[in-house]
Amino acid sequence: MARNNDNKMSREEAGRMGGETTSKNHDKDFYQEIGQKGGEARGNNGNNGSSGGDGKMSREEAGRKGGEARARQRDRN
């Protein structure tokens, strides 16, 4: 356990313990609901993977494009 000089809990340890407690107290539906709310708050509500007009690519879109590029590389070799 990561403790600092005053024998207090580190942020890392507190986050891990809080996450474990939350996991024990909530089910899959809870996580789906908060994930959906987070996506709506960020503006990622069904606009083909992009995160709005900020010019940034979503992780989903980046993964898809990366996978397609890698497949093309394999096909050439």
Side-chain angles (χ1 to χ4, degrees):
M1 289 186 202
R3 303 268 176 162
N4 62 22
N5 292 339
D6 297 329
N7 203 26
K8 293 181 182 177
M9 189 180 306
S10 70
R11 287 184 184 179
E12 178 183 353
E13 187 176 12
R16 180 184 51 77
M17 291 177 68
E20 289 173 356
T21 301
T22 302
S23 176
K24 289 176 186 175
N25 294 332
H26 298 284
D27 60 1
K28 179 181 172 183
D29 292 335
F30 169 79
Y31 287 100
Q32 287 177 335
E33 183 178 338
I34 62 172
Q36 183 177 5
K37 287 180 181 179
E40 290 170 359
R42 290 184 53 116
N44 298 339
N45 51 2
N47 51 5
N48 293 331
S50 65
S51 58
D54 61 2
K56 294 182 181 178
M57 187 182 309
S58 70
R59 288 183 180 173
E60 178 183 358
E61 186 178 4
R64 180 183 51 78
K65 287 185 174 186
E68 290 171 354
R70 184 67 180 118
R72 286 192 302 272
Q73 283 179 339
R74 277 190 301 238
D75 290 344
R76 284 187 232 147
N77 295 330

